[in-house]
Amino acid sequence: MKAYLEGSQAIAKVVALCRPGVISAYPITPQTHIPETLAQMVAEGELKAEFVNVESEHSAASCCLGASATGVRAYTSTSSQGLLYMLEVLFNIAGLRLPLVLTCANRAVSAPINIWNDYQDAITLRDSGWIQFYAETIQEAVDLHIQGYRLSEDIRVLLPVMVNVDGYILTHGYEVVDIPEQELVDKFLPPYQLKYKLDPDNPLTLGVLAGPDYYMETRFAIQKTMEDVLEIIPEISGEFFEVFARKSGGLIEGYFLKDAEKVIVAMGSVCGTIKEAIDGLRDKKEKVGLLKIITYRPFPEEEIYQALKNAREIAVLEKAISLGGFGPLYTEIKSVFQGKKENPKISGFVIGLGGRDITKDSIRSVSDRLSGKQVDCEFIDLNLKGEHKDNLLGGSGVASQFIEQE
Amino acid sequence: MYKPLLSPGHTACAGCGQALAARLVVDVAGPQVIIANNTGCLEVFSTAYPESSWEVPWIHSLFENAAAVASGIESALKYLGKADQINVLAQAGDGGTADIGLQALSGMWERGHNILSICYDNEAYMNTGVQRSGLTPLDTNTTTTPVGKFSWGNIRPKKNMLEIALAHGLPYVASASVAYPRDIQRKVKKALAIRGPKYLHIFSPCPLGWRHEPELTYAVAKLAVETGFFPLLEFEDGKLSNVFKLKEIKPVEEYLKLQGRFRHLLSPEAKEELKRIQEMVNFNIEKYGILAK
Ligand SMILES: Cc1ncc(C[n+]2csc(CCOP(=O)(O)OP(=O)(O)O)c2C)c(N)n1
Ligand SMILES: [Mg+2]
């Protein structure tokens, strides 16, 4: 059914269609509308689930862990500080091989505290064993939740899935969304079945101590599973198309890639802006294309290579940075070409941190700069005017060097 | 034939009070139980892969989250319609209960889950090598509250976990000791018969950390009760309903002197400190009416 919905409401509706038995979340902007909507659905009896009002994100994740281990589908959502507060539990869920879907309404990380969108929160979890999807639109976010549960619970997978949706831009934006029928979701997503679970009829010990003789194999197994997931995601996305008649999900998506000489690589809602900018550039006969990464973990190296190998100049645009290093996505895109005969110029651009507006001009300036010299880590749309005093930097002096005084 | 639900063969130290207490607890709880366990000695000595001592479904996640994991388990059981058949236990050491896990525990209590939480109190972080916790007594020598020229050891008295539990309005709150196994069993049984969140705090000597001979575990635990140092109490619906009374109360020194962690309190210079401790114990004896009339 098509409806004009706020992103959070759409996500809540689709989560409900996935029939979670236990929902546990903690308020943090911009994620909060999702659990609020779910709480209302439970209160109205529209959704049969236990809604557990926990005292922290650490407990929200732990509560979902316990429910999932007991054989009940669980759901949680969070943002930013909440995700970081969960971090220890999230590594644990992946290590325990427990299925779970978490929505991360992506938001910058403090300090300074900032409630607006970037990817520093989720990117920080990239080594945790979670599968990570990044949605471009509300519709895609909706679809990725259904696919996320299916993937996470697949006996070949048993890893948690994080669906990343841009805070505010997608969580608070409105869009006409196709919310699938319950029947179809039920057809696509079978009831939750867990082979190894907490059950007095078959008592198992979960969460053991594994010493040097055993630990490493558990990591190896997750790594191998992640490799398989690269094949399972397209399979599931294909089945999704068969059931819902909508192409959605997958590993990557290309936009005007075929003959593109310059390619911008990005994730999430900014891809919409990039597509528009590309339309404009194409009108001027500029051969620019977009590679959108939908699945960031596992990292679809081969697909990215195939998509980018004909490009001469590549710009990686990302809303996160490994401070002291580079943009994490940039580093990985560069690694794709290691040992390959193609040697495109790859530049890294940090953009839109803490909700800094990304305009078509921002994208055009990146595209223009691609013809210039290669850069590793260029910040786009910085404002270094004098009104930004260095008191935000603890008087470290680093800023004053850059700040243009009046 | 008796088959314990926490099997022997685990790697607990000789004389480990927690191992004794945990077996007593799970045996009473029976096979229709699911246990969530915080990180700590109990988890480590009972589940070193590829072995496990647990004959019941058991999960360990992290140091501080057993109460939240248990909340998820209990909610899942409710969802499955199995909440009446299966008991849920959340268990932890004193550190996992009173310090790092207190927030999750408080949340679980306040939400009213039908879960029995157990604290195996050995009065320090034993798993990591005897560092103080919020339940370490005044003047205890631990590796992070060492005795020295300017130090009598731990600078603060033990915090009162029973009162913290009571402040949450729990229907059942009790303390017990490995020195009184039957009492532990009775209390577990009673707790499990009550719906809602319950708290049982079990005094569990640690020969290694307390520096007493392993065969003295019972004796030490018993003296803690007989000196009034660790009162055995039961609260039902917030009211003190049962006190383990003593006809005669021994001086606290008798309890302290068996343990290396208190040895520094036996010197003549420690007289004032010893007096302070005795006064604190006297206060509790008075408060809970431990002396039998
Ligand atoms: C977040 C976190 N901090 C610290 C630790 C290290 N750690 C593991 S067990 C433990 C102490 C456990 O003490 P307690 O709860 O009293 O249980 P005991 O081992 O004494 O039975 C500590 C500090 C950890 N595993 N996780
Ligand atoms: Mg301890």
Side-chain angles (χ1 to χ4, degrees), chain A residues 88, chain B residues 18 39-41 63-64 93-96 100 122 124-128:
Chain A
E88 187 196 20
Chain B
Q18 188 167 201
T39 309
C41 282
F63 185 17
E64 65 277 48
D94 46 291
I100 199 167
N122 54 23
Y125 300 149
M126 295 314 183
N127 188 48
T128 40

Side-chain angles (χ1 to χ4, degrees), chain A residues 62 88 92 204-207 209, chain B residues 49 52 58 60-61 64-65:
Chain A
S62 301
E88 187 196 20
N92 202 258
L204 296 174
T205 295
L206 305 183
L209 170 74
Chain B
Y49 190 82
S52 168
W58 182 98
H60 157 251
S61 169
E64 65 277 48
N65 69 350

Side-chain angles (χ1 to χ4, degrees), chain A residues 115-130:
Chain A
I115 59 171
W116 292 273
N117 168 245
D118 71 33
Y119 286 154
Q120 199 66 52
D121 51 5
I123 289 290
T124 304
L125 264 293
R126 69 183 189 270
D127 304 334
S128 63
W130 280 65

